[in-house]
Amino acid sequence: MEKLMIAGGTPLKGTVRISGAKNSAVALIPATILAESPVTIEGLPNISDVAMLQALLEEIGGEVSLDGQDMTVNPREMVAMPLPNGKVKKLRASYYLMGAMLGRFKKAVIGLPGGCHLGPRPIDQHIKGFEALGAKVTNEQGAIYLRADELRGARIYLDVVSVGATINIMLAAVRAKGKTIIENAAKEPEIIDVATLLTSMGAKIKGAGTDVIRIEGVDRLEGCRHTIIPDRIEAGTFMILGAAIGDGLLLDNVIPQHLESLTAKLREMGVRIETSDDQMFVEPGDQLLPVDIKTLVYPGFPTDLQQPFSALLTHAVGTSVVTDTIYSARFKHIDELRRMNAKVKVEGRSSIITGPTQLEGAKVKASDLRAGACLVIAGLLAKGITEVTGLEHIDRGYSQLVEKLEGLGAQIWREPMTQEELEQIEQS
Ligand code: EPU
């Protein structure tokens, strides 16, 4: 196992190319199950969640080939193999196998998904949707069993606005008989991306990106080529880096409209941002002003950027409040920031950050993916050496982060963990 070493303090400069969106990729790959012929997805990020899903498709009989960032899946020989244990438990997005397999085979057995621990993450809305489409759903020993004689279109109102439930219901409904209407649907760009792929495969979907999605089921879906959207959360992480310790950062392959809530907050803090069609230039202002943020569903401030943003706020002059309305316990980065000398505390669903503080290098642990991004930003801002363990979380969702940061001038490298550190992990 490796850890990340960061020698902080070097300003970052240059151009970084943003990879394909993780949260699209993890839905697009399962969506290929629904086709009867090969599907190619172009521009996938090089992350372990993608590798894990590739292995899961192969387990059920898919033929998968990778050509650089492009993945071709031949789903012809796939079967409804039960996946109650193993890799499905390692990532959250394995729940998309439920919708996709239910759509194609009318049955599936999928172990309850893993992923980052951010507080309760129920999937009741996914199940409500599958049941409305006519599936019988049971939970047996930690695996979800789904079966339907046939899927029939239905009107489904989501009690909670959920990205995962919206996509999962869409995956099953494209192969249901008749019309499905998803009301109170999530509006994230990743939902539009999945709908675009499904439409290219022959599905009939209207309204993706609004809160009412209408789907007319079809009998057959075919293969196609699809280019994934850029990762707005990775782009946001680099924008925050540009604001924190940039000396002029150019982000290439971005959709600036996907980042309006972050752009507005950074500008409020005094950060200079210029945008063009698919690029953004970020430069720190003279002084960082404190701001309050509240995470909301899209197009509000994304919960996935709350933790990285908190590292930046330690350098703002004054007190900022970060409230997460999506996840109740997404604050495990706060104790680690404190180890680095930050003046931060958690009260209920908010963290309160007082700056400016000169962060100090320390040994810290990434407890989840975006906590990892927060600690990398903090490490780059800090005086001295920061060691970040829990690298496997970062590798799940950031494509070649170390290489990209090195390319911008950061002093960051991977090192094997010592025997003592490995023993500590085993004991914890
Ligand atoms: N919720 C329910 N019931 C459900 C589904 C969700 O109560 O059936 C609640 C959740 O507990 C949460 C809220 O609804 O409080 C929103 O959850 P959502 O379903 O939208 O989240 P998700 O689909 O599980 C995706 C991303 C997350 C991101 C959230 C919110 C993927 C694989 N994951 O999760 O990404 O935080 O949407 O935008 O797409 C990350 O990238 O670091 C990450 C955690």
Side-chain angles (χ1 to χ4, degrees):
M1 273 175 108
E2 291 179 319
K3 60 185 172 183
L4 208 52
M5 306 292 294
I6 305 167
T10 314
L12 306 185
K13 195 179 170 74
T15 303
V16 59
R17 186 170 170 81
I18 301 304
S19 298
K22 163 192 166 265
N23 287 345
S24 270
V26 297
L28 296 172
I29 296 170
T32 63
I33 294 174
L34 287 158
E36 309 284 339
S37 48
V39 180
T40 300
I41 305 169
E42 296 172 355
L44 285 171
N46 184 1
I47 54 175
S48 64
D49 269 12
V50 164
M52 204 85 80
L53 282 165
Q54 171 177 352
L56 283 163
L57 292 195
E58 286 168 344
E59 242 177 85
I60 62 167
E63 243 176 64
V64 187
S65 59
L66 268 179
D67 176 12
Q69 299 166 333
D70 305 344
M71 180 187 281
T72 299
V73 181
N74 184 348
R76 254 186 225 116
E77 306 294 323
M78 285 181 180
V79 289
M81 167 114 69
L83 298 168
N85 288 306
K87 292 193 184 66
V88 280
K89 301 248 179 198
K90 294 227 164 91
L91 77 161
R92 178 90 189 142
S94 53
Y95 54 39
Y96 291 132
L97 296 168
M98 296 181 197
M101 287 174 85
L102 185 63
R104 170 143 174 216
F105 304 114
K106 311 294 174 263
K107 62 178 179 182
V109 177
I110 307 292
L112 275 169
C116 295
H117 298 290
L118 315 172
R121 298 180 79 182
I123 57 163
D124 55 302
Q125 298 303 306
H126 304 230
I127 290 169
K128 170 179 165 173
F130 298 144
E131 285 177 338
L133 294 173
K136 189 168 177 302
V137 187
T138 52
N139 179 348
E140 291 169 34
Q141 293 167 342
I144 302 290
Y145 285 66
L146 305 111
R147 177 175 282 279
D149 294 332
E150 70 165 12
L151 293 175
R152 293 176 310 277
R155 180 182 283 266
I156 301 158
Y157 180 88
L158 296 180
D159 304 323
V160 182
V161 180
S162 158
V163 176
T166 303
I167 292 179
N168 231 344
I169 296 168
M170 231 165 47
L171 291 174
V174 289
R175 288 293 314 276
K177 285 206 161 56
K179 186 184 258 184
T180 297
I181 302 176
I182 310 173
E183 293 173 318
N184 202 25
K187 296 183 279 198
E188 269 69 0
E190 292 75 20
I191 290 160
I192 304 179
D193 203 24
V194 177
T196 307
L197 168 73
L198 292 170
T199 304
S200 304
M201 284 162 62
K204 294 185 178 157
I205 303 173
K206 284 188 185 149
T210 76
D211 57 7
V212 181
I213 301 179
R214 292 185 166 78
I215 301 160
E216 190 70 50
V218 294
D219 289 338
R220 200 182 155 87
L221 294 167
E222 293 298 345
C224 63
R225 283 188 92 80
H226 174 80
T227 304
I228 193 170
I229 57 168
D231 194 314
R232 63 195 167 96
I233 306 301
E234 187 200 8
T237 305
F238 278 100
M239 287 171 73
I240 293 168
L241 270 165
I245 190 160
D247 185 16
L249 273 199
L250 182 68
L251 279 62
D252 189 29
N253 189 38
V254 282
I255 299 180
Q257 290 76 7
H258 289 173
L259 286 150
E260 276 171 359
S261 57
L262 174 66
T263 303
K265 274 296 159 188
L266 288 174
R267 284 189 173 138
E268 229 176 284
M269 293 179 78
V271 177
R272 285 192 277 271
I273 300 174
E274 285 164 36
T275 64
S276 64
D277 279 357
D278 63 352
Q279 292 190 325
M280 294 177 93
F281 183 74
V282 183
E283 220 178 10
D286 300 329
Q287 193 187 49
L288 280 173
L289 301 172
V291 289
D292 293 344
I293 60 167
K294 192 180 265 192
T295 68
L296 291 168
V297 294
Y298 188 82
F301 193 97
T303 170
D304 296 342
L305 286 174
Q306 173 265 105
Q307 294 158 295
F309 200 78
S310 300
L312 173 68
L313 291 176
T314 64
H315 272 225
V317 185
T319 298
S320 305
V321 180
V322 176
T323 305
D324 199 321
T325 71
I326 311 289
Y327 294 116
S328 56
R330 209 172 197 177
F331 292 109
K332 298 209 179 82
H333 57 298
I334 293 295
D335 277 346
E336 305 303 300
L337 283 179
R338 222 184 267 134
R339 280 182 217 279
M340 298 179 73
N341 199 32
K343 295 186 180 51
V344 286
K345 62 180 176 177
V346 178
E347 277 182 14
R349 295 186 83 134
S350 301
S351 61
I352 298 160
I353 303 167
T354 304
T357 315
Q358 174 58 60
L359 297 176
E360 307 273 354
K363 289 187 177 189
V364 289
K365 184 172 172 220
S367 54
D368 57 81
L369 170 60
R370 309 301 172 187
C374 166
L375 296 175
V376 170
I377 297 170
L380 290 165
L381 271 169
K383 206 163 68 188
I385 301 279
T386 297
E387 294 187 26
V388 186
T389 55
L391 203 45
E392 66 281 7
H393 294 292
I394 300 177
D395 290 338
R396 276 191 39 225
Y398 283 93
S399 190
Q400 291 167 314
L401 183 64
V402 172
E403 291 80 356
K404 287 184 184 184
L405 287 169
E406 272 178 337
L408 298 173
Q411 295 184 50
I412 182 166
W413 64 99
R414 287 169 185 263
E415 249 179 36
M417 286 173 72
T418 61
Q419 193 56 36
E420 197 184 327
E421 286 165 339
L422 289 170
E423 278 163 18
Q424 269 172 10
I425 289 184
E426 252 170 46
Q427 282 158 16
S428 65

